[in-house]
Amino acid sequence: MNDASVPVAVVGVGADGWDGLPEASRGVLAAAEVVIGGPRQLGLLPEEVAGERVVWPSPLRPAVPGLMAAHAGRRIAVLASGDPMFHGIGRTLTEVLGAGRLRVLPHPSSVAYACARLGWAVEDTEVVSLVGRPLAALSAVLYDGRRVLALSAGAGTPAEVAGLLRERGFAGSRMRVLEQLGSDRERVLEGTADRWPHAPGDPLNVVAVECAADPGARRLGAVPGLPDDAYEHDGQLTKRHVRAATLAALAPAPGELLWDVGGGSGSIAVEWMRAHRSCRAVTVERDPVRAERITRNAAALGVPALRVVTGGAPEALAGLPAPDAVFVGGGLTAPGLLEACWAALRPGGRLVANTVTLESEALLARWYARHGGDLVRLAVAHAVSVGGFTGWRQAMPVTQWSAVKPAGEQ
Protein backbone atom coordinates (compact mmCIF):
# COMPACT_ATOMS: atom_id res chain seq x y z
CA MET A 1 0.00 0.00 0.00
CA ASN A 2 1.36 3.41 -0.95
CA ASP A 3 2.17 5.74 1.99
CA ALA A 4 0.10 8.54 0.49
CA SER A 5 -3.01 6.36 0.24
CA VAL A 6 -3.68 6.62 3.98
CA PRO A 7 -4.02 10.18 5.31
CA VAL A 8 -2.40 11.12 8.59
CA ALA A 9 -4.99 12.46 11.05
CA VAL A 10 -3.84 15.37 13.23
CA VAL A 11 -6.17 15.68 16.20
CA GLY A 12 -6.19 18.72 18.47
CA VAL A 13 -6.86 17.98 22.12
CA GLY A 14 -7.32 20.41 25.01
CA ALA A 15 -6.55 20.26 28.70
CA ASP A 16 -10.01 18.71 29.19
CA GLY A 17 -8.80 15.64 27.33
CA TRP A 18 -11.13 12.99 25.96
CA ASP A 19 -14.26 14.54 27.46
CA GLY A 20 -13.72 17.75 25.48
CA LEU A 21 -13.31 16.09 22.09
CA PRO A 22 -16.10 16.10 19.49
CA GLU A 23 -17.37 12.78 18.16
CA ALA A 24 -15.41 13.12 14.91
CA SER A 25 -12.09 13.40 16.76
CA ARG A 26 -12.97 10.53 19.11
CA GLY A 27 -13.87 8.35 16.15
CA VAL A 28 -10.57 9.02 14.39
CA LEU A 29 -8.57 8.22 17.52
CA ALA A 30 -10.54 5.08 18.28
CA ALA A 31 -9.95 3.82 14.73
CA ALA A 32 -6.23 4.66 14.67
CA GLU A 33 -3.72 1.83 14.55
CA VAL A 34 -0.91 4.15 15.69
CA VAL A 35 -1.26 7.25 17.91
CA ILE A 36 1.76 9.56 18.12
CA GLY A 37 2.07 12.37 20.67
CA GLY A 38 3.77 13.72 23.73
CA PRO A 39 3.55 11.82 27.04
CA ARG A 40 1.02 14.30 28.49
CA GLN A 41 -1.25 14.10 25.46
CA LEU A 42 -1.10 10.31 25.24
CA GLY A 43 -1.95 10.14 28.94
CA LEU A 44 -5.27 11.88 28.25
CA LEU A 45 -6.56 9.00 26.12
CA PRO A 46 -8.83 6.28 27.54
CA GLU A 47 -8.25 2.55 27.13
CA GLU A 48 -10.77 2.37 24.29
CA VAL A 49 -8.14 4.02 22.09
CA ALA A 50 -6.37 0.75 21.48
CA GLY A 51 -3.84 1.76 18.83
CA GLU A 52 -0.11 1.52 19.43
CA ARG A 53 1.05 4.57 21.35
CA VAL A 54 4.28 6.19 20.20
CA VAL A 55 6.00 9.04 22.02
CA TRP A 56 7.65 11.70 19.86
CA PRO A 57 11.45 11.47 20.04
CA SER A 58 13.63 14.54 20.46
CA PRO A 59 14.49 16.35 18.28
CA LEU A 60 11.07 15.98 16.73
CA ARG A 61 11.30 17.30 13.18
CA PRO A 62 14.10 15.03 11.91
CA ALA A 63 12.16 12.02 13.24
CA VAL A 64 8.98 12.68 11.24
CA PRO A 65 9.97 11.01 7.91
CA GLY A 66 11.31 7.92 9.68
CA LEU A 67 8.23 7.51 11.87
CA MET A 68 5.89 7.89 8.92
CA ALA A 69 7.89 5.35 6.92
CA ALA A 70 7.98 2.90 9.85
CA HIS A 71 4.17 2.90 10.04
CA ALA A 72 3.43 3.18 6.32
CA GLY A 73 0.01 1.85 5.34
CA ARG A 74 -1.37 2.01 8.89
CA ARG A 75 -3.98 4.46 10.16
CA ILE A 76 -1.90 7.10 11.98
CA ALA A 77 -3.26 9.76 14.33
CA VAL A 78 -1.03 12.51 15.68
CA LEU A 79 -2.06 14.33 18.85
CA ALA A 80 -1.60 18.10 19.07
CA SER A 81 -2.27 20.68 21.75
CA GLY A 82 -5.32 22.74 20.82
CA ASP A 83 -5.24 23.94 17.23
CA PRO A 84 -2.53 21.93 15.42
CA MET A 85 -2.03 24.71 12.86
CA PHE A 86 -1.39 27.45 15.44
CA HIS A 87 2.19 27.16 16.71
CA GLY A 88 1.64 23.41 16.61
CA ILE A 89 2.80 20.14 15.09
CA GLY A 90 0.49 20.67 12.12
CA ARG A 91 2.92 23.11 10.54
CA THR A 92 5.84 20.70 10.76
CA LEU A 93 3.80 17.83 9.36
CA THR A 94 2.58 19.99 6.48
CA GLU A 95 6.12 21.06 5.60
CA VAL A 96 7.46 17.49 5.76
CA LEU A 97 4.54 15.48 4.34
CA GLY A 98 2.54 18.05 2.37
CA ALA A 99 -0.95 19.30 3.11
CA GLY A 100 -2.50 16.60 0.91
CA ARG A 101 -1.33 13.88 3.31
CA LEU A 102 -3.10 15.35 6.33
CA ARG A 103 -6.58 15.44 7.79
CA VAL A 104 -6.57 18.10 10.53
CA LEU A 105 -9.22 18.14 13.26
CA PRO A 106 -8.60 21.29 15.34
CA HIS A 107 -9.60 22.05 18.91
CA PRO A 108 -9.92 25.57 20.39
CA SER A 109 -6.42 26.93 20.99
CA SER A 110 -5.13 28.21 24.31
CA VAL A 111 -5.22 31.70 22.75
CA ALA A 112 -8.93 31.35 21.99
CA TYR A 113 -9.61 30.21 25.55
CA ALA A 114 -7.44 32.95 27.08
CA CYS A 115 -9.05 35.75 25.07
CA ALA A 116 -12.49 34.41 25.97
CA ARG A 117 -11.63 34.44 29.67
CA LEU A 118 -10.00 37.89 29.53
CA GLY A 119 -12.53 39.55 27.24
CA TRP A 120 -9.79 40.43 24.75
CA ALA A 121 -10.37 40.58 21.00
CA VAL A 122 -8.07 38.01 19.42
CA GLU A 123 -7.29 40.23 16.43
CA ASP A 124 -6.07 43.02 18.73
CA THR A 125 -3.85 40.74 20.82
CA GLU A 126 -0.16 40.09 20.14
CA VAL A 127 0.73 36.41 20.49
CA VAL A 128 4.31 35.23 21.05
CA SER A 129 5.25 31.59 21.47
CA LEU A 130 8.10 30.96 23.90
CA VAL A 131 7.97 27.20 23.37
CA GLY A 132 11.40 26.31 22.09
CA ARG A 133 12.11 29.99 21.36
CA PRO A 134 14.20 32.61 23.17
CA LEU A 135 12.49 34.77 25.78
CA ALA A 136 13.97 37.82 24.04
CA ALA A 137 11.44 37.41 21.20
CA LEU A 138 8.89 39.00 23.53
CA SER A 139 10.77 42.32 23.45
CA ALA A 140 9.64 43.12 19.91
CA VAL A 141 5.95 43.41 20.89
CA LEU A 142 6.28 45.49 24.06
CA TYR A 143 4.50 48.80 23.49
CA ASP A 144 2.63 50.87 26.02
CA GLY A 145 -1.06 49.93 26.10
CA ARG A 146 -0.72 46.74 24.06
CA ARG A 147 -2.06 43.35 25.12
CA VAL A 148 0.22 40.36 24.76
CA LEU A 149 -0.26 36.62 25.21
CA ALA A 150 2.90 34.58 25.74
CA LEU A 151 2.61 30.83 25.18
CA SER A 152 4.68 29.40 28.01
CA ALA A 153 7.49 26.90 27.77
CA GLY A 154 6.80 25.68 31.31
CA ALA A 155 6.13 26.54 34.92
CA GLY A 156 9.06 28.95 35.13
CA THR A 157 8.03 31.09 32.16
CA PRO A 158 5.82 33.60 34.08
CA ALA A 159 8.68 34.63 36.36
CA GLU A 160 11.01 34.90 33.36
CA VAL A 161 8.48 37.11 31.56
CA ALA A 162 8.23 39.32 34.65
CA GLY A 163 12.02 39.65 34.70
CA LEU A 164 12.15 40.64 31.04
CA LEU A 165 9.40 43.23 31.53
CA ARG A 166 11.39 44.81 34.36
CA GLU A 167 14.55 44.89 32.24
CA ARG A 168 12.75 46.48 29.29
CA GLY A 169 11.06 49.24 31.29
CA PHE A 170 7.61 47.66 31.67
CA ALA A 171 7.75 46.77 35.37
CA GLY A 172 4.27 48.17 36.07
CA SER A 173 2.60 45.88 33.54
CA ARG A 174 -0.31 43.79 34.79
CA MET A 175 0.26 40.05 34.41
CA ARG A 176 -2.20 37.17 34.58
CA VAL A 177 -1.23 33.53 34.27
CA LEU A 178 -4.00 31.26 33.03
CA GLU A 179 -3.38 27.60 33.82
CA GLN A 180 -5.01 24.44 32.45
CA LEU A 181 -7.36 26.39 30.18
CA GLY A 182 -10.48 24.47 29.22
CA SER A 183 -10.21 21.91 32.01
CA ASP A 184 -11.88 21.74 35.41
CA ARG A 185 -8.50 22.65 36.91
CA GLU A 186 -8.40 26.18 35.47
CA ARG A 187 -6.68 28.74 37.66
CA VAL A 188 -5.71 32.38 37.21
CA LEU A 189 -2.76 34.01 39.01
CA GLU A 190 -2.43 37.77 38.95
CA GLY A 191 0.17 40.40 39.78
CA THR A 192 2.51 42.96 38.24
CA ALA A 193 5.93 42.44 36.74
CA ASP A 194 7.71 44.50 39.37
CA ARG A 195 6.42 42.34 42.22
CA TRP A 196 5.46 39.01 40.72
CA PRO A 197 4.46 37.14 43.87
CA HIS A 198 3.78 33.61 42.68
CA ALA A 199 5.94 30.49 42.79
CA PRO A 200 6.07 28.33 39.64
CA GLY A 201 2.70 26.64 39.13
CA ASP A 202 1.25 24.41 36.43
CA PRO A 203 3.52 24.03 33.38
CA LEU A 204 0.49 24.24 31.07
CA ASN A 205 -0.11 27.98 31.13
CA VAL A 206 -0.46 31.16 29.10
CA VAL A 207 0.87 34.52 30.31
CA ALA A 208 -1.32 37.56 29.62
CA VAL A 209 0.38 40.97 29.79
CA GLU A 210 -1.19 44.40 29.67
CA CYS A 211 1.86 46.47 28.77
CA ALA A 212 2.44 49.62 30.79
CA ALA A 213 5.65 51.53 30.14
CA ASP A 214 7.48 52.85 33.17
CA PRO A 215 7.90 56.63 33.50
CA GLY A 216 10.95 57.63 31.49
CA ALA A 217 11.24 54.25 29.75
CA ARG A 218 12.79 54.28 26.29
CA ARG A 219 10.17 54.37 23.56
CA LEU A 220 11.07 52.53 20.38
CA GLY A 221 9.03 53.01 17.22
CA ALA A 222 7.66 50.29 15.00
CA VAL A 223 9.31 51.56 11.79
CA PRO A 224 12.99 51.65 10.71
CA GLY A 225 15.16 54.42 12.08
CA LEU A 226 15.57 53.53 15.76
CA PRO A 227 17.69 55.93 17.83
CA ASP A 228 21.41 55.28 17.47
CA ASP A 229 21.76 54.76 21.21
CA ALA A 230 19.32 51.83 21.04
CA TYR A 231 22.36 49.89 19.80
CA GLU A 232 25.55 48.81 21.47
CA HIS A 233 28.29 49.76 18.99
CA ASP A 234 31.91 50.85 18.54
CA GLY A 235 31.18 53.48 15.92
CA GLN A 236 30.48 50.96 13.15
CA LEU A 237 26.81 51.82 12.89
CA THR A 238 24.60 52.92 10.00
CA LYS A 239 23.25 56.11 11.52
CA ARG A 240 19.57 56.62 12.13
CA HIS A 241 18.50 58.74 9.15
CA VAL A 242 20.65 56.87 6.64
CA ARG A 243 19.42 53.59 8.14
CA ALA A 244 15.81 54.59 7.58
CA ALA A 245 16.55 55.46 3.95
CA THR A 246 18.45 52.21 3.51
CA LEU A 247 15.58 50.07 4.83
CA ALA A 248 13.21 51.95 2.53
CA ALA A 249 15.38 50.96 -0.44
CA LEU A 250 15.67 47.36 0.77
CA ALA A 251 11.85 47.24 1.08
CA PRO A 252 11.37 44.27 3.45
CA ALA A 253 8.27 42.15 2.89
CA PRO A 254 6.89 39.27 4.99
CA GLY A 255 8.86 36.06 4.72
CA GLU A 256 11.82 37.53 2.85
CA LEU A 257 15.50 36.89 3.61
CA LEU A 258 18.19 39.58 3.86
CA TRP A 259 21.94 39.25 3.66
CA ASP A 260 23.56 42.03 5.71
CA VAL A 261 27.19 41.96 4.58
CA GLY A 262 29.64 43.75 6.84
CA GLY A 263 27.20 43.79 9.75
CA GLY A 264 29.01 46.21 12.08
CA SER A 265 26.46 46.54 14.87
CA GLY A 266 23.75 44.62 13.00
CA SER A 267 21.35 47.57 12.82
CA ILE A 268 20.19 46.96 9.23
CA ALA A 269 19.49 43.26 9.84
CA VAL A 270 17.79 43.98 13.17
CA GLU A 271 15.41 46.54 11.70
CA TRP A 272 14.73 44.37 8.66
CA MET A 273 13.54 41.61 11.03
CA ARG A 274 11.54 44.04 13.15
CA ALA A 275 9.58 45.03 10.02
CA HIS A 276 7.61 41.76 10.20
CA ARG A 277 7.88 38.74 12.44
CA SER A 278 8.38 36.42 9.44
CA CYS A 279 11.29 38.44 7.98
CA ARG A 280 14.61 36.60 8.20
CA ALA A 281 18.17 37.84 8.04
CA VAL A 282 21.76 36.65 7.98
CA THR A 283 24.46 39.11 8.93
CA VAL A 284 28.08 38.47 7.96
CA GLU A 285 30.78 40.11 10.06
CA ARG A 286 34.50 39.29 10.00
CA ASP A 287 35.29 40.70 13.49
CA PRO A 288 34.35 38.18 16.24
CA VAL A 289 33.88 40.93 18.83
CA ARG A 290 31.44 42.78 16.58
CA ALA A 291 29.68 39.52 15.72
CA GLU A 292 29.01 38.91 19.42
CA ARG A 293 27.80 42.50 19.75
CA ILE A 294 25.35 41.95 16.88
CA THR A 295 23.93 38.94 18.72
CA ARG A 296 23.38 41.04 21.85
CA ASN A 297 21.71 43.84 19.87
CA ALA A 298 19.38 41.37 18.18
CA ALA A 299 18.31 39.92 21.53
CA ALA A 300 17.84 43.32 23.14
CA LEU A 301 15.64 44.53 20.28
CA GLY A 302 13.45 41.45 20.07
CA VAL A 303 14.85 39.54 17.08
CA PRO A 304 17.05 36.83 18.65
CA ALA A 305 16.56 34.62 15.58
CA LEU A 306 18.98 36.80 13.58
CA ARG A 307 21.68 34.50 12.24
CA VAL A 308 25.22 35.82 12.65
CA VAL A 309 28.01 34.38 10.49
CA THR A 310 31.53 35.26 11.57
CA GLY A 311 33.85 35.50 8.59
CA GLY A 312 34.98 37.62 5.69
CA ALA A 313 32.94 38.11 2.54
CA PRO A 314 32.69 36.89 -0.14
CA GLU A 315 34.10 33.61 1.21
CA ALA A 316 31.64 33.50 4.15
CA LEU A 317 28.67 33.81 1.78
CA ALA A 318 29.18 30.34 0.34
CA GLY A 319 26.38 27.96 1.26
CA LEU A 320 23.98 30.59 2.56
CA PRO A 321 20.37 30.41 1.31
CA ALA A 322 19.60 32.68 -1.64
CA PRO A 323 18.55 36.15 -0.45
CA ASP A 324 15.62 38.31 -1.49
CA ALA A 325 17.67 41.41 -0.64
CA VAL A 326 21.31 42.18 0.05
CA PHE A 327 22.80 45.12 1.93
CA VAL A 328 26.53 45.77 1.68
CA GLY A 329 27.63 48.14 4.39
CA GLY A 330 31.35 47.46 4.37
CA GLY A 331 34.15 45.88 2.38
CA LEU A 332 32.80 46.96 -1.00
CA THR A 333 36.25 46.91 -2.61
CA ALA A 334 36.92 43.29 -1.59
CA PRO A 335 37.58 41.40 -4.86
CA GLY A 336 34.45 39.67 -6.13
CA LEU A 337 32.15 40.82 -3.31
CA LEU A 338 29.54 42.68 -5.35
CA GLU A 339 29.70 40.02 -8.07
CA ALA A 340 29.00 37.28 -5.51
CA CYS A 341 26.11 39.18 -3.95
CA TRP A 342 24.53 39.98 -7.31
CA ALA A 343 24.89 36.39 -8.51
CA ALA A 344 23.30 34.98 -5.32
CA LEU A 345 20.39 37.43 -5.34
CA ARG A 346 17.05 36.01 -6.43
CA PRO A 347 15.62 37.47 -9.65
CA GLY A 348 13.51 40.47 -8.67
CA GLY A 349 15.56 40.94 -5.49
CA ARG A 350 17.12 44.20 -4.31
CA LEU A 351 20.75 45.07 -3.69
CA VAL A 352 21.64 48.18 -1.70
CA ALA A 353 25.20 49.34 -0.99
CA ASN A 354 26.37 52.32 1.07
CA THR A 355 29.80 53.94 1.18
CA VAL A 356 31.58 57.08 2.36
CA THR A 357 34.87 56.61 0.45
CA LEU A 358 35.77 57.86 -3.04
CA GLU A 359 37.19 54.48 -4.06
CA SER A 360 33.97 52.61 -3.22
CA GLU A 361 31.90 55.42 -4.72
CA ALA A 362 33.71 54.96 -8.02
CA LEU A 363 32.95 51.23 -7.88
CA LEU A 364 29.25 51.93 -7.28
CA ALA A 365 29.22 54.36 -10.18
CA ARG A 366 30.47 51.59 -12.48
CA TRP A 367 27.78 49.20 -11.24
CA TYR A 368 25.18 51.92 -11.70
CA ALA A 369 26.32 52.39 -15.30
CA ARG A 370 26.09 48.65 -15.88
CA HIS A 371 22.85 47.75 -14.06
CA GLY A 372 20.96 51.02 -13.61
CA GLY A 373 18.94 51.51 -10.45
CA ASP A 374 19.32 54.57 -8.24
CA LEU A 375 22.55 56.28 -7.25
CA VAL A 376 21.97 58.90 -4.56
CA ARG A 377 23.96 60.89 -2.04
CA LEU A 378 22.52 61.16 1.44
CA ALA A 379 23.64 64.15 3.49
CA VAL A 380 22.49 64.78 7.06
CA ALA A 381 23.31 67.75 9.26
CA HIS A 382 22.53 68.13 12.96
CA ALA A 383 21.99 71.35 14.88
CA VAL A 384 24.71 71.88 17.51
CA SER A 385 25.78 74.64 19.85
CA VAL A 386 28.25 77.16 18.42
CA GLY A 387 29.24 79.36 21.32
CA GLY A 388 26.02 80.99 22.40
CA PHE A 389 24.35 80.24 19.08
CA THR A 390 23.28 77.23 17.04
CA GLY A 391 24.76 75.94 13.80
CA TRP A 392 24.82 72.91 11.56
CA ARG A 393 27.32 70.06 11.85
CA GLN A 394 27.49 68.05 8.63
CA ALA A 395 27.94 64.29 8.85
CA MET A 396 29.99 62.55 6.16
CA PRO A 397 27.79 62.17 3.07
CA VAL A 398 26.82 58.60 2.18
CA THR A 399 26.64 57.42 -1.41
CA GLN A 400 23.99 54.76 -1.89
CA TRP A 401 23.41 52.56 -4.90
CA SER A 402 20.27 50.43 -5.09
CA ALA A 403 19.08 48.20 -7.91
CA VAL A 404 16.56 45.45 -8.62
CA LYS A 405 17.86 42.30 -10.29
CA PRO A 406 15.87 41.72 -13.50
CA ALA A 407 13.33 38.90 -13.27
CA GLY A 408 14.89 37.06 -16.20
CA GLU A 409 18.49 37.29 -14.98
CA GLN A 410 20.09 34.35 -13.18
Side-chain angles (χ1 to χ4, degrees), residues 292-381:
E292 291 178 4
R293 188 179 293 122
I294 291 170
T295 299
R296 292 195 296 272
N297 282 330
L301 292 167
V303 288
L306 171 60
R307 180 181 173 187
V308 181
V309 174
T310 305
E315 295 78 15
L317 305 177
L320 296 180
D324 300 288
V326 177
F327 172 65
V328 183
L332 269 171
T333 56
L337 175 58
L338 276 179
E339 288 82 358
C341 291
W342 188 258
L345 192 64
R346 295 181 185 276
R350 291 85 61 203
L351 191 149
V352 178
N354 291 355
T355 187
V356 296
T357 70
L358 292 175
E359 292 78 7
S360 293
E361 185 179 85
L363 176 63
L364 293 183
R366 292 196 295 273
W367 277 75
Y368 171 65
R370 188 186 316 167
H371 295 284
D374 291 311
L375 188 65
V376 300
R377 178 168 290 175
L378 305 171
V380 178

Side-chain angles (χ1 to χ4, degrees), residues 157-223:
T157 300
E160 294 173 356
V161 168
L164 181 85
L165 291 170
R166 292 193 295 269
E167 291 174 9
R168 298 292 187 261
F170 287 84
S173 299
R174 182 186 184 189
M175 290 177 54
R176 282 174 281 183
V177 176
L178 300 93
E179 300 178 344
Q180 288 286 336
L181 282 163
S183 78
D184 57 6
R185 300 182 303 282
E186 275 196 25
R187 184 173 71 148
V188 179
L189 305 175
E190 185 167 349
T192 56
D194 57 345
R195 292 187 179 88
W196 182 246
H198 305 286
D202 195 289
L204 194 63
N205 71 80
V206 174
V207 183
V209 181
E210 295 179 63
C211 298
D214 301 339
R218 175 190 295 277
R219 182 186 179 279
L220 297 179
V223 299

Side-chain angles (χ1 to χ4, degrees), residues 76 109 147 156 170 206 386 402:
I76 300 173
S109 68
R147 292 169 168 173
F170 287 84
V206 174
V386 181
S402 59

Side-chain angles (χ1 to χ4, degrees), residues 22-43:
E23 287 301 320
S25 296
R26 291 186 184 188
V28 166
L29 290 171
E33 296 172 279
V34 181
V35 183
I36 306 174
R40 182 187 66 81
Q41 297 159 340
L42 291 171

Side-chain angles (χ1 to χ4, degrees), residues 57-383:
S58 180
L60 185 154
R61 187 185 179 96
V64 171
L67 273 179
M68 296 300 120
H71 300 289
R74 304 176 74 187
R75 292 186 298 275
I76 300 173
V78 175
L79 293 175
S81 294
D83 184 349
M85 304 307 297
F86 186 73
H87 293 289
I89 186 63
R91 175 174 180 171
T92 297
L93 291 173
T94 299
E95 291 172 351
V96 174
L97 302 178
R101 287 286 318 276
L102 305 181
R103 179 190 175 194
V104 180
L105 293 88
H107 188 278
S109 68
S110 58
V111 169
Y113 275 121
C115 286
R117 302 295 187 263
L118 297 165
W120 292 3
V122 176
E123 67 270 20
D124 292 332
T125 302
E126 295 283 355
V127 179
V128 177
S129 176
L130 300 178
V131 180
R133 296 174 173 85
L135 181 69
L138 192 60
S139 299
V141 299
L142 299 181
Y143 292 96
D144 190 45
R146 295 296 291 169
R147 292 169 168 173
V148 178
L149 287 179
L151 309 182
S152 283
T157 300
E160 294 173 356
V161 168
L164 181 85
L165 291 170
R166 292 193 295 269
E167 291 174 9
R168 298 292 187 261
F170 287 84
S173 299
R174 182 186 184 189
M175 290 177 54
R176 282 174 281 183
V177 176
L178 300 93
E179 300 178 344
Q180 288 286 336
L181 282 163
S183 78
D184 57 6
R185 300 182 303 282
E186 275 196 25
R187 184 173 71 148
V188 179
L189 305 175
E190 185 167 349
T192 56
D194 57 345
R195 292 187 179 88
W196 182 246
H198 305 286
D202 195 289
L204 194 63
N205 71 80
V206 174
V207 183
V209 181
E210 295 179 63
C211 298
D214 301 339
R218 175 190 295 277
R219 182 186 179 279
L220 297 179
V223 299
L226 298 181
D228 292 344
D229 61 3
Y231 293 93
E232 179 187 346
H233 64 91
D234 61 359
Q236 290 297 311
L237 174 74
T238 302
K239 300 301 191 293
R240 181 180 193 175
H241 298 91
V242 173
R243 191 184 330 127
T246 300
L247 266 295
L250 287 167
E256 289 190 330
L257 172 68
L258 170 75
W259 284 3
D260 178 11
V261 182
S265 63
S267 62
I268 296 295
V270 165
E271 296 192 26
W272 168 279
M273 292 184 68
R274 282 173 61 92
H276 192 273
R277 67 177 61 192
S278 66
C279 285
R280 300 164 295 133
V282 179
T283 186
V284 178
E285 171 54 54
R286 70 168 59 248
D287 186 328
V289 174
R290 288 177 179 161
E292 291 178 4
R293 188 179 293 122
I294 291 170
T295 299
R296 292 195 296 272
N297 282 330
L301 292 167
V303 288
L306 171 60
R307 180 181 173 187
V308 181
V309 174
T310 305
E315 295 78 15
L317 305 177
L320 296 180
D324 300 288
V326 177
F327 172 65
V328 183
L332 269 171
T333 56
L337 175 58
L338 276 179
E339 288 82 358
C341 291
W342 188 258
L345 192 64
R346 295 181 185 276
R350 291 85 61 203
L351 191 149
V352 178
N354 291 355
T355 187
V356 296
T357 70
L358 292 175
E359 292 78 7
S360 293
E361 185 179 85
L363 176 63
L364 293 183
R366 292 196 295 273
W367 277 75
Y368 171 65
R370 188 186 316 167
H371 295 284
D374 291 311
L375 188 65
V376 300
R377 178 168 290 175
L378 305 171
V380 178
H382 294 271

